[in-house]
Structures are given as structure tokens and as C-alpha cells.
Amino acid sequence: MHPGRQLAVLGLVFVVLYLLVFFGAGAKGSVHDRLQPKLGLDLVGGTQVTYQASLLANGQVPSRQSMEQAKEIMESRVNALGVSEAEVVIEGDRNIVVSVAGKEADQLKDIGQAAQMRFRKVLKATNDVSAAALNPPSAAPSAAPSGSAKPSAPGNSKAPKVTGTGQPTANPSGGQGGGEQAPSASPSAPAPTATAATVAATPVPTASSPATVGAPAPTRADVEKKVGPQAWAAASKLTEPPDLSANPRLAKQLAPFATLDGAEINALTPEMQYNVPTISCKQLQGRPNGAIDDPAIKVTACDLNGRKMFLDVAKVLGTDIDTASPQYDQQQGQWVVSLDFTTAGQQKWADLTREAFNKTANDGCETAAQGLGGDGQHCHVAVVLDKTVISAPEIQGVLTGQSQITGDFTAKSARQLADQIQYGALPVTFTAGEAMTVSPTLGTAQLKAGLLAAAIGMALVAIYAFFYYRLLGTVIFLSLILSGVLTYGALVFLGRATGFTLTLAGIAGFIVSLGVAADSFVIYFERLKDEIHEGRSPRSAVPRAWVRARRTIISANTITIMAAVVLYVVSIGAVKGFAAALGLATIIDLMVVFLFRHPIMTMFANTKAFLSPRVSGLGRVLPARTKSDESAPRTSRAKEA
């Protein structure tokens, strides 16, 4: 064999790995920073957020099955953010605790959002952003006309839209999105396109639900008693939002509605929520999570510009969406969220856009279209996420197949919205608590103790190897050092590339892998002794011992890797980190066996020191040989062997 070739390949692997560590994607800062692995929550501390599930309508806590399903969805959302080794656990019967390493509270704030998407036709909309409706649900950039798009709110400066995709768009993962637009219902109709309010981020509630968690929800009678009979009677007579500036007396009568909190607003009918001008968007946004998720009822909601809308029943749901993915539209030069509908969803979406385009129902939606800045010829369809209208496009054609939500997206916000839609709506609604900082003090002490134990174990292995194997002990020591250096480089690189996080459990996996590596040495060296004991010379015994020991080494390491893979698949949390570390270290040990241990042994076999029992460590199995002995013919037993 040519041992130099294997060593050259190993050297190339080493150089490439550390070039990626120092100059690859994400490598920045000083040398120390570039060599810093991504550490887990138990080593560097981190952020912890507790989500409390809302009680069901009957006052009961959610079922265990619902909580388990919510936990799985939250784990998928956290992993989709690139946060590895996150801890998502159920505490008690209503709480789910999400913990991640580092100061990443901003990544957790939307994990517990319901992400229920509904497509509803806009039946009514306020003609202007009234004083009572200011306080939009979340700060968002304004929108304005773009191309043939119609503005959805006055004062807009850039109009995002929901469109059918006729051009392929670049996918961050390397794929492309595409789709066909159905022909519009009218030959003179313009190309299918629509406008919408800007989608910048998932809205976060700004008003609170009842002060006492778990308290019974207010009833309509409770609200009537609070606002008073005069205010209730005045509100019950309204069929449209009145102009309060022209009727001060009515404004005074309706003023008590401005004192209601979100839960009390939720007790009102959708018509009253829309018609009473003193009910603001801030109050509507403060309704409990899931307040307008029922697709079978009409609802009132606000868009990101603070405009109230009265919406029809939902005829297309989030479950009708097959996949949602962030894509970079090169033609528009912006990030979009691409939606692919299921087979049934495509038909529902086409029916809804056809209804809005042709005004098949006499529901007054064309008046709402005029209020939203459209020409009144076609209706608008609202895209509702949880309690907020994130888009309100004027439908100018029949849309089928793949569609897009566009807006002032960044890659992060587009990914966030797509992941919430993609991974499904939570079966239970949650209220997020304050983010807490987790101290790494205990983990740091355990890390120091673990590293000290590993160093002591490594020293004992080295002492035993040098005492028992002598020159061969050098091979063991160098192999373990090389495995450690390669493993560390792989750990740093994988931390940046895939989010692999080193935890105490992972360190335990690496330490256990040292025993696996030591076992392979014992197998090889003892096989070598057997070959020499049978009468072979050291030089000829090395390749023969390698052939026989190789099978056992590969089998043993393969079983370890298979066990690590199974453990990784079926486990969660810290156990998953242990399995990943054990599998990674075992794979690297196999590479060192083939590219370093065997070629270096071949090189040692050609040295004089290897022939000395005192130096080689072969001891009694290697008789003292002189130069003449070495050149003498082998025994008949050796020949037979």
C-alpha cells in the first residue's frame, strides 16, 4: 500500500474543514470567535418563555392530546427558525415552556401564535381611518398603489398584493415556484392581480383579556349592564357606522363602549363591533385568541392601517393551503410568501375569487370596495391571520393554483409567516408570559467537572497505552488527539451551518465515543499480536492483522452509528443531543482509522524500533531478532499459515 496517499487525503480533509471554520459562511470576529462552537442552554444560559393555554368554552382545560399536538407544532416552528437543541416541555395541564440558548427572545415571541388563516370577502369597510380606529394592531409600514393594483387604504405608499404566479420565483432553498393563472371570467378583465395591506410581521395583541386568568368570559348581559341601557339601546339601532362629529349627542351615548376590554368586546355581535365607532381596533385586537376563528360566522376585524372591516363567512381556510414557503421574487425584487393550495383548496379559492370578481351575491361588497379605494366593480377578499386582516386585495380576475402574499417582507419575516402557516395552527390558544433569562451557572460548573473528568480519563488511557503498548501507544495517543481536533472543527462548522448545539449531553456523547475509539485500537493491536504469535514477521503481520481487524472495527462502529441514529429519531431534547454527538464522533473515528491509524502503522512496521520488543510494545510475542534472523526463511508453520 501507499500510506502517504491516505495521510494526504486526511490532511486535505483537515485543511478544508478548518478553512470552512475560519472563512466559511457565518465566520466573523476574532480567531477566538471563529473557533467558538454553538453552546446549549445548559452551558451559556438562554431565554425561556412560558405559554399558558386558554380554557375551553366549557371552562375545562385542554385535553392532553391537544397539548401534545401543540407541543409538536411549537417544536417544528422553533426548529424552522434554525434554533437547534431547543427545549419544549409541557408543565402541568396548561403550560408549555420553550427554552433556547442565547438571547433569542425575539425568536420565541410568535411561536405560540395561533396562525389561523381565513379568506373572507369584505362586505363593509369604513371609508376613512376614524379617530376611534387609530391605534392599529401593530406598527406596520404603509402601503400604496403599484402597477394596476388598487390601494386598499388611503395614504398608502406601496401596495403589496395577493396574486396568482405566472413567473417562476427563486426559492431560498434552491427550488422555484410557479403556477398557472386561470383565465378571468370576462375577456376584457385585466390580468389577475390584487392589492393588500402590508404584511410585515405577525400581529401581537396589545390589549389584554380578562384580568383574572381562567375567569368566566363576560356575557352580553354583563356588557349591557356595564355600558348602561342608554348606550346599549343606541348601539342596537345602528346599521352603519355613524359620523360622530356631526352628532355629539350620539358620541356621548356611545362613549362607554370605549371602556370595554377585549373579552367584553368579544361578547358583542360582529355587527355591533363594526357599527359602533367608539370601539377601536386596539380593543378588537385585544379579543381572546381564536375569537374570530370560526369560519361559519361573519366577523369584524381591522387591517394593519387601523381600518375596520365587516367580513363574510370564511370560504377558504388555512387548511386548504398545501404548502407555504418564503421565496425571493426576482421580477419584483422582494421577498414573498408563496401559497400552494390543495386540490380541494384550489377549487375553493377559484370559487371565492370568481364570486368576488363577478359579484354573484347581492351583499353590498362593491360599496366596501369603493371605500377601500377600488373602482367598485369587483369585491375585495380579506386574508385574515388570527385576528388581523393582513391583506385586502381587490380581485381583478379568477385566481387558481399558486398565489403569493407580497409586502415589505424581509427574509426573516417571510420565513416566519410561512412557517406559521406551513406547520399548522395550534389546536389550543395560548397567552405568552414574560421572557425569562436562564442562568448558565450550574451548567458551567457541570461543564468544568465534565471536562476535568474527560481529561483525567484521557490521561489514564494515555498512561495505560504507553505502559502496555509503548510505541503503539503513540499511535493511540495521536489518533485520539487527531479525532478530537477534527470533531471540534466539525462541531464549530455544523453549529453555524445547521444550528447544531453543544450541550452537556453532547459532551457526554463525545466522551463515550473515546471508549469506542479505544476499543478499535485494542481489536487491531491484539489481532497484530496473534499474527506475530503464529510466526509472521511484524512487517507482514501488520497488513494481515488490518484485514482481519477491519471487519470487526467496521461492524462495531456501524452498530454504534445505527444505535445513535435510532436514538436521535425517537428521542427529544438532551437525549437527541447525546445521540448526535455520539454518531458524529464515531463517524470521525472511522475516518481516522482508515486514513491515519492503518497507514501510520504501515510506516512504523518499516522502522527498526518496531522490531524491538521493548520499544514496539509487542512484548513476548516478538522474539528478539537479529539482522540475520530477519533475513532468514520463515518456519514451515509460517509458510503453512
Side-chain angles (χ1 to χ4, degrees):
M1 65 170 293
H2 302 281
R5 296 179 182 178
Q6 283 90 336
L7 294 176
V9 172
L10 181 62
L12 180 62
V13 171
F14 182 88
V15 170
V16 171
L17 176 60
Y18 273 87
L19 283 176
L20 292 173
V21 167
F22 282 101
F23 306 105
K28 57 184 178 180
S30 64
V31 173
H32 179 269
D33 294 334
R34 294 172 190 242
L35 287 173
Q36 186 69 27
K38 187 174 182 180
L39 301 179
L41 179 70
D42 51 359
L43 299 180
V44 295
T47 304
Q48 187 177 82
V49 178
T50 300
Y51 294 93
Q52 185 176 60
S54 303
L55 294 175
L56 303 179
N58 57 7
Q60 300 296 317
V61 298
S63 67
R64 188 68 182 182
Q65 182 180 1
S66 297
M67 293 296 290
E68 289 288 350
Q69 184 181 355
K71 173 179 170 290
E72 291 177 2
I73 293 174
M74 286 187 179
E75 282 182 327
S76 299
R77 292 180 179 179
V78 173
N79 293 333
L81 293 173
V83 180
S84 183
E85 291 290 327
E87 296 179 2
V88 183
V89 297
I90 299 176
E91 282 190 355
D93 54 3
R94 293 181 58 191
N95 294 337
I96 293 182
V97 180
V98 182
S99 305
V100 297
K103 300 177 180 179
E104 301 180 4
D106 59 324
Q107 292 186 304
L108 296 181
K109 65 181 180 181
D110 297 315
I111 296 301
Q113 291 292 322
Q116 294 275 11
M117 181 164 279
R118 303 285 187 259
F119 295 82
R120 300 174 179 267
K121 187 166 62 173
V122 181
L123 302 180
K124 298 179 182 179
T126 53
N127 293 327
D128 62 298
V129 182
S130 64
L134 290 175
N135 279 325
S138 66
S142 57
S146 174
S148 61
K150 302 293 183 180
S152 58
N156 292 345
S157 60
K158 180 181 179 183
K161 51 191 174 181
V162 176
T163 64
T165 56
Q167 298 289 338
T169 55
N171 188 304
S173 61
Q176 287 187 327
E180 295 297 328
Q181 294 177 338
S184 60
S186 169
S188 60
T193 186
T195 66
T198 301
V199 186
T202 305
V204 179
T206 55
S208 61
S209 295
T212 305
V213 176
T219 64
R220 197 166 299 177
D222 295 332
V223 178
E224 181 178 357
K225 182 179 179 181
K226 181 175 180 177
V227 300
Q230 187 179 19
W232 187 265
S236 301
K237 295 177 182 178
L238 298 176
T239 58
E240 293 289 340
D243 183 2
L244 296 184
S245 62
N247 193 341
R249 181 173 175 272
L250 181 60
K252 185 177 181 180
Q253 290 177 333
L254 298 177
F257 283 94
T259 65
L260 301 179
D261 62 25
E264 292 166 335
I265 291 294
N266 193 50
L268 304 178
T269 64
E271 290 81 4
M272 188 175 289
Q273 294 172 5
Y274 176 76
N275 292 331
V276 177
T278 53
I279 295 177
S280 69
C281 284
K282 182 177 181 180
Q283 291 171 286
L284 292 172
Q285 192 64 21
R287 291 173 293 183
N289 291 334
I292 63 172
D293 286 346
D294 188 348
I297 63 172
K298 297 178 180 179
V299 300
T300 294
C302 290
D303 67 6
L304 297 176
N305 293 305
R307 180 185 299 278
K308 284 171 39 173
M309 299 180 187
F310 185 64
L311 309 174
D312 196 7
V313 298
K315 298 182 179 179
V316 180
L317 310 181
T319 52
D320 294 317
I321 298 174
D322 184 28
T323 59
S325 60
Q327 297 181 350
Y328 187 77
D329 191 318
Q330 294 179 337
Q331 185 176 5
Q332 301 182 55
Q334 62 180 353
W335 283 94
V336 301
V337 176
S338 178
L339 304 178
D340 280 305
F341 291 90
T342 62
T343 302
Q346 289 180 11
Q347 185 59 49
K348 292 180 182 179
W349 179 234
D351 291 342
L352 178 59
T353 55
R354 183 179 295 108
E355 176 184 334
F357 178 70
N358 295 324
K359 297 188 301 182
T360 55
N362 186 21
D363 50 24
C365 64
E366 64 275 8
T367 303
Q370 291 177 344
L372 292 172
D375 56 15
Q377 299 299 313
H378 313 295
C379 300
H380 288 239
V381 169
V383 182
V384 186
L385 182 66
D386 297 332
K387 295 173 288 185
T388 303
V389 177
I390 61 173
S391 310
E394 179 184 10
I395 302 302
Q396 297 181 338
V398 181
L399 302 177
T400 62
Q402 190 183 70
S403 297
Q404 294 177 342
I405 299 177
T406 67
D408 291 334
F409 283 119
T410 62
K412 180 179 178 180
S413 61
R415 165 63 65 184
Q416 178 182 327
L417 178 58
D419 287 341
Q420 286 183 323
I421 299 171
Q422 173 72 24
Y423 293 109
L426 296 172
V428 210
T429 56
F430 289 88
T431 301
E434 292 294 328
M436 299 176 57
T437 300
V438 180
S439 171
T441 304
L442 179 60
T444 302
Q446 291 176 333
L447 174 62
K448 291 179 179 178
L451 293 179
L452 177 61
I456 294 174
M458 184 80 168
L460 291 175
V461 170
I463 292 172
Y464 177 80
F466 282 118
F467 176 78
Y468 191 75
Y469 289 114
R470 300 183 185 178
L471 180 64
L472 299 182
T474 305
V475 179
I476 297 176
F477 185 74
L478 292 176
S479 296
L480 291 178
I481 293 296
L482 184 58
S483 294
V485 173
L486 289 174
T487 300
Y488 187 83
L491 181 64
V492 175
F493 171 71
L494 291 176
R496 294 185 194 140
T498 66
F500 182 85
T501 305
L502 179 62
T503 61
L504 285 173
I507 292 175
F510 288 125
I511 293 175
V512 170
S513 70
L514 293 177
V516 177
D519 286 344
S520 63
F521 283 110
V522 173
I523 293 171
Y524 184 22
F525 292 161
E526 293 303 319
R527 184 67 246 182
L528 178 61
K529 287 184 176 182
D530 290 342
E531 293 293 332
I532 296 176
H533 184 72
E534 291 176 2
R536 298 185 182 280
S537 68
R539 290 192 180 117
S540 63
V542 166
R544 187 170 180 84
W546 164 249
V547 171
R548 293 189 175 183
R550 180 178 59 193
R551 302 170 186 172
T552 307
I553 293 173
I554 293 176
S555 298
N557 281 275
T558 300
I559 292 173
T560 302
I561 293 172
M562 290 174 62
V565 170
V566 172
L567 192 61
Y568 183 86
V569 171
V570 302
S571 63
I572 59 174
V575 180
K576 188 184 288 286
F578 171 84
L582 179 61
L584 173 64
T586 305
I587 291 173
I588 291 178
D589 175 62
L590 266 179
M591 182 175 65
V592 171
V593 165
F594 280 87
L595 299 181
F596 178 77
R597 192 177 310 166
H598 177 42
I600 206 72
M601 283 294 297
T602 303
M603 295 176 67
F604 277 175
N606 293 319
T607 63
K608 293 182 179 181
F610 193 74
L611 303 178
S612 170
R614 293 183 179 181
V615 177
S616 66
L618 296 176
R620 298 175 182 177
V621 300
L622 183 62
R625 294 174 180 267
T626 62
K627 293 183 179 180
S628 59
D629 294 330
E630 185 67 14
S631 60
R634 304 169 72 183
T635 64
S636 59
R637 182 179 178 182
K639 291 180 180 179
E640 292 174 1

